[in-house]
Every structure is written in C-alpha cells, then in structure tokens.
Amino acid sequence: MIEARLLTKSFRDRRRGAINAVSEVSFTCQPGKVFGLLGPNGAGKTTTLRLISTALRPTSGTALVDGIDVAANPAGVRTRIGFLSANTGLYGRLTAREVLRYFGRLNGMEKEPLETRIADLAVLFDLGAFLDRPCDKLSTGMKQRVNIARTVVHDPPVLILDEPTAGLDVLSSRTIVTFIRTQRDAGKTILFSTHIMPDVERLCDTVGIIHQGRLFYEGTLDGLRERHGEDLEDAFVRMVTAAA
C-alpha cells in the first residue's frame, strides 16, 4: 500500500523565495488497485511521485510504501518499488538484454532466476526482435517497453509510473495498458500519472487531482463525474479551473 501523509516539498528560488511544489498532499493507494494522479503541467505530479519513490526527500510530511517510511528508511522503500520516471534514460551502448541484466543485478537477483525473468519479460513486452540491439538504435516505443521491463525486472509489489504511455503509438500503448491491468489483477499497488484520459478510464480505480501543488480531489471516477459532469475530460477541466 502507498499512503501519503501531508507530503510537502519546497524549493528555493532566488527571486521568489521558498516555493511549495507539493503542499500537504495526502492520499492512499491500495493493493490490487490503480491510483491515477492527474493534473496540468507543473501541478506537482512528478514531484509527488519522486517523493514517494525516494528520488527526492520531503521538506515535511512523509509517505509509507508497503509500511516503510520514505524519509526514515529510503533504502527499504527502494527494494519494494519499481519506479518509471518520465526522464529515465537507457544506456545507449547497452543492448536491451544487458540493461535488464544490469538492473536485475542491482536489485540483488541471482543469475539463473534473472535470465528466466528476462525471457518472460521479452515475451510479455514483445522485445524479442530487438532484445540484443543497442538501446540507442531503438524507436521511442521500443525504448519505453524496455524501460517498463527494467522497472519491473525484480517483480516489485509497488509500481510508480510517471506517464508510462506518453508519446507512444497505439500498439505500444496497448501493450503497456494491458500489462498494468495484469499487475493490478496480480495484487500489485500501482500509482501512475498521465494526461491521457482514455488511459484513466481504462485503468484507474481511484484518482487524485492535483493543481498548484495541492490535492483537490481523491475518489472514484464516478464520484468525479457526479460532481462535475459525465465527460471525464470536461469534469477534470472544471475541477482544475475551479481550483485555480
């Protein structure tokens, strides 16, 4: 489970002083559920995910991941998560297989189980045609499939995904959406951010809407529609506009 508790992150700007990128954000994401974090650009989505993944340290507040405090024990949190950042790059000179081996060993996997896992992921993400090709020779969709495979190579119980389908073609996007569904059905806890409303409707059990660093809504899609209209995109725009 993921539980954010008054999570806050401040940055200092020379002209404007302290700026809260995230301000007292609280929400819960349950095992076997997908929680979608929605918001316009600059709303605080990526900062929130980076705080929960321990890539950033909170200014105040905290979050629990699988019962472990991100501020008190970040190393313990990292063993339980797979984190896909929108800025994550692949090592261009390594092949896709070598990248998966590298991250598997980083997560303490032994050689034989790791090779079995790579073979399974190659089938799951249809990597076979380019598994031994250098990553700098791959298309955007191919790279993203390798990135997702890298994120889950150690089969973590918690997945944190920052815009996993952004910029992908229909086939690559569908592969990743299908994978997220299977992970949810396997009981994983999944937190992801996206701008793509069809992905939200297909995947999310609950959503949170963040704007200007604050969470303005946490609940179901049906609850959001009841408050702001049947069309999800219109409901989102109305809530963000009202919060501005």
Side-chain angles (χ1 to χ4, degrees):
M1 184 173 75
I2 297 172
E3 184 180 359
R5 298 178 174 177
L6 300 175
L7 204 55
T8 299
K9 182 63 179 178
S10 297
F11 297 97
R12 182 159 292 279
D13 183 88
R14 289 183 178 180
R15 295 181 178 179
R16 295 180 291 171
I19 299 171
N20 282 342
V22 173
S23 185
E24 298 187 339
V25 166
S26 299
F27 62 84
T28 301
C29 182
Q30 301 284 352
K33 303 291 184 181
V34 176
F35 184 98
L37 191 61
L38 315 180
N41 290 334
K45 301 186 302 298
T46 293
T47 300
T48 300
L49 298 192
R50 293 183 71 191
L51 289 167
I52 294 171
S53 72
T54 77
L56 289 175
R57 187 174 182 84
T59 303
S60 63
T62 191
L64 302 181
V65 177
D66 203 19
I68 301 174
D69 191 301
V70 300
N73 187 6
V77 170
R78 291 176 200 134
T79 66
R80 288 161 170 80
I81 66 170
F83 177 44
L84 176 75
S85 168
N87 297 320
T88 301
L90 297 173
Y91 299 103
R93 294 183 180 181
L94 296 183
T95 66
R97 188 190 304 274
E98 289 168 339
V99 166
L100 297 181
R101 281 178 179 160
Y102 176 69
F103 281 95
R105 295 306 298 270
L106 276 181
N107 283 284
M109 298 182 71
E110 297 295 332
K111 183 177 179 180
E112 290 187 9
L114 175 55
E115 293 303 316
T116 299
R117 178 65 170 166
I118 290 172
D120 291 342
L121 291 172
V123 173
L124 186 62
F125 290 107
D126 195 21
L127 308 179
F130 53 87
L131 192 59
D132 294 302
R133 192 183 304 174
C135 289
D136 61 4
K137 303 296 184 183
L138 303 182
S139 69
T140 299
M142 292 174 181
K143 287 178 180 178
Q144 189 70 332
R145 280 184 274 164
V146 175
N147 254 329
I148 295 283
R150 171 199 63 77
T151 299
V152 302
V153 66
H154 55 306
D155 198 23
V158 177
L159 301 181
I160 302 171
L161 309 174
D162 192 2
E163 299 191 31
T165 62
L168 299 186
D169 60 45
V170 173
L171 293 178
S172 295
S173 179
R174 179 169 291 187
T175 297
I176 291 172
V177 166
T178 300
F179 172 74
I180 293 173
R181 283 175 174 157
T182 63
Q183 295 296 286
R184 176 191 62 194
D185 294 343
K188 302 294 181 71
T189 301
I190 302 171
L191 168 63
F192 87 115
S193 72
T194 186
H195 290 103
I196 303 172
M197 291 302 163
D199 285 354
V200 174
E201 295 192 278
R202 286 182 288 187
L203 289 172
C204 292
D205 299 286
T206 54
V207 296
I209 295 180
I210 190 170
H211 185 48
Q212 297 177 344
R214 293 186 176 275
L215 196 72
F216 286 90
Y217 178 81
E218 179 186 2
T220 65
L221 296 179
D222 287 342
L224 180 60
R225 291 189 185 101
E226 286 175 6
R227 291 172 60 175
H228 293 282
E230 286 299 315
D231 183 85
L232 181 59
E233 183 172 312
D234 288 346
F236 168 76
V237 170
R238 289 191 186 101
M239 176 159 281
V240 169
T241 301

